[in-house]
């Protein structure tokens, strides 16, 4: 499954494991946990495809990796595969393997055409062939505004800034959306860098691994107003000095949206 068209817009503005031991006189009650290892060998070393095609020139990419046992933490990337993008007329655009597991369209000037159907075909060095269904590149919808609202809570976790957005979608072009965002903020450290005398100002950039999707299918006017995208609480140093965010909005096909929705539900339930 792959997606989609996008519009960019930016704006400045433990698990806790409780172990309880209750004693009543000489009686002690405790809980025992027995390790369980599921039999999932047949799902190990399967090909994982993370691909996205947008209407922005040169932005298409494919990431190939393998599944691995649940008790391991490393990722095995797949190199040397033949990866291509094929349009509805049979025109084929090849990808190049520019770094470990990452592929990009060889023609940097390539621009996918809105309204056309595309599919991705992959052939690995061991002869495994993977081909997606055709997906229509949907027309992008602009973000009308991004702003924030101060939330006054009773504790640091509930106090902070709520980031909101408006999508007027006046032409009713699409009803399925997803977003990702990259945060950058400035902060001060108590000790100067040993490499740069007197330097105590630092910057950090992160891209949170979150699922942000929304369907406007059941909205009468198909608009999204004052939508709470995410919240920044006062337990972080993000808001101390300067903060910025770059939000990317994608329009999705219905099948792409349903795929992401199922993936989100599985992750949240587990």
């Amino acid at each position: 499954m792959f997606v989609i068209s996008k519009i960019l817009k930016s704006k400045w503005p433990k698990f806790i494991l409780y172990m309880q031991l209750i004693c009543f006189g000489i009686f002690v009650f405790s809980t025992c946990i027995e390790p369980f290892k599921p039999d999932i060998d047949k799902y190990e070393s399967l090909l994982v495809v993370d691909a996205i095609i947008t209407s922005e020139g040169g932005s298409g990419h494919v990431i190939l990796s393998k599944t691995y046992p649940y008790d391991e933490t490393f990722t095995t990337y797949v190199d040397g595969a033949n990866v291509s993008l094929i349009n509805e007329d049979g025109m084929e655009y090849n990808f190049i393997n520019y770094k470990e597991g990452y592929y990009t369209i060889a023609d940097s000037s390539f621009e996918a055409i809105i309204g056309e159907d595309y599919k991705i075909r992959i052939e690995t060095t061991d002869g495994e062939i993977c081909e997606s269904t055709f997906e229509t590149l949907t027309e992008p919808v602009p973000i009308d505004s991004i702003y924030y609202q101060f939330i006054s809570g009773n504790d640091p976790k509930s106090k902070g800034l709520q980031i909101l957005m408006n999508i007027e979608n006046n032409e009713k072009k699409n009803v399925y959306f997803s977003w990702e965002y990259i945060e950058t903020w400035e902060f001060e450290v108590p000790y100067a860098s040993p490499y740069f005398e007197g330097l105590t100002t630092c910057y950090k950039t992160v891209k949170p691994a979150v699922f942000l999707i929304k369907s406007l299918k059941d909205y009468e006017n198909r608009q999204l107003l004052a939508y709470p995208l995410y919240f920044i609480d006062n337990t972080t140093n993000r808001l101390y000095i300067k903060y910025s965010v770059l939000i990317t909005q994608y329009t999705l096909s219905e099948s792409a949206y349903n795929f992401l929705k199922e993936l989100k539900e599985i992750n949240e339930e587990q």
Side-chain angles (χ1 to χ4, degrees), residues 29-242:
F29 298 88
S30 62
T31 301
C32 295
I33 300 176
E34 182 179 348
F36 169 70
K37 184 175 182 179
D39 182 15
I40 54 174
D41 292 344
K42 66 180 181 179
Y43 299 112
E44 293 181 12
S45 196
L46 297 179
L47 182 65
V48 178
V49 181
D50 181 2
I52 185 168
I53 303 298
T54 80
S55 58
E56 187 176 47
S59 64
H61 73 259
V62 174
I63 306 173
L64 301 181
S65 60
K66 290 284 189 175
T67 58
Y68 51 85
Y70 72 97
D71 54 350
E72 295 181 2
T73 58
F74 63 89
T75 300
T76 300
Y77 290 102
V78 177
D79 292 319
N82 292 321
V83 182
S84 59
L85 178 70
I86 304 171
N87 70 6
E88 56 193 1
D89 297 322
M91 184 72 72
E92 192 167 344
Y93 306 90
N94 295 321
F95 285 67
I96 56 172
N97 189 184
Y98 70 98
K99 70 175 184 178
E100 188 179 24
Y102 283 70
Y103 299 76
T104 188
I105 295 179
D107 183 2
S108 60
S109 63
F110 168 79
E111 291 187 15
I113 300 174
I114 295 171
E116 284 198 0
D117 295 338
Y118 296 89
K119 68 177 179 179
I120 288 178
R121 187 180 188 278
I122 300 163
E123 184 174 357
T124 63
T125 55
D126 56 5
E128 185 176 3
I129 298 176
C130 178
E131 191 171 285
S132 75
T133 58
F134 275 105
E135 290 285 336
T136 302
L137 190 70
T138 55
E139 189 169 355
V141 176
I143 297 175
D144 291 281
S145 59
I146 302 169
Y147 55 101
Y148 64 88
Q149 179 182 356
F150 176 72
I151 304 297
S152 180
N154 297 322
D155 57 80
K157 275 286 186 181
S158 59
K159 181 184 296 183
L161 294 185
Q162 178 68 61
I163 307 300
L164 305 105
M165 68 188 308
N166 291 334
I167 307 175
E168 295 184 3
N169 198 18
N170 291 324
E171 297 181 20
K172 312 294 187 294
K173 293 178 180 178
N174 209 290
V175 296
Y176 302 108
F177 298 90
S178 73
W179 302 273
E180 63 184 22
Y181 61 95
I182 300 175
E183 302 173 284
T184 301
W185 66 93
E186 179 183 329
F187 62 97
E188 294 286 338
V189 293
Y191 304 103
S193 168
Y195 306 104
F196 303 96
E197 185 177 354
L199 181 62
T200 59
T201 300
C202 298
Y203 297 88
K204 186 172 183 177
T205 296
V206 297
K207 180 181 178 181
V210 294
F211 279 91
L212 300 175
I213 59 174
K214 187 70 175 177
S215 169
L216 306 185
K217 184 177 181 179
D218 297 326
Y219 285 51
E220 184 177 354
N221 55 11
R222 295 192 172 183
Q223 295 182 334
L224 202 59
L225 305 178
Y227 180 67
L229 196 62
Y230 66 96
F231 180 73
I232 311 169
D233 64 53
N234 271 6
T235 63
T236 77
N237 63 353
R238 284 168 166 77
L239 305 176
Y240 285 4
I241 303 175
K242 290 181 180 178

Side-chain angles (χ1 to χ4, degrees), residues 3-45:
V3 289
I4 339 317
S5 305
K6 72 178 180 180
I7 286 288
L8 300 180
K9 195 153 187 175
S10 62
K11 189 178 182 72
W12 278 91
K14 259 172 201 190
F15 293 114
I16 301 177
L17 176 61
Y18 288 101
M19 224 176 155
Q20 296 183 338
L21 185 63
I22 305 176
C23 301
F24 296 97
I26 62 172
F27 297 98
V28 178
F29 298 88
S30 62
T31 301
C32 295
I33 300 176
E34 182 179 348
F36 169 70
K37 184 175 182 179
D39 182 15
I40 54 174
D41 292 344
K42 66 180 181 179
Y43 299 112
E44 293 181 12
S45 196

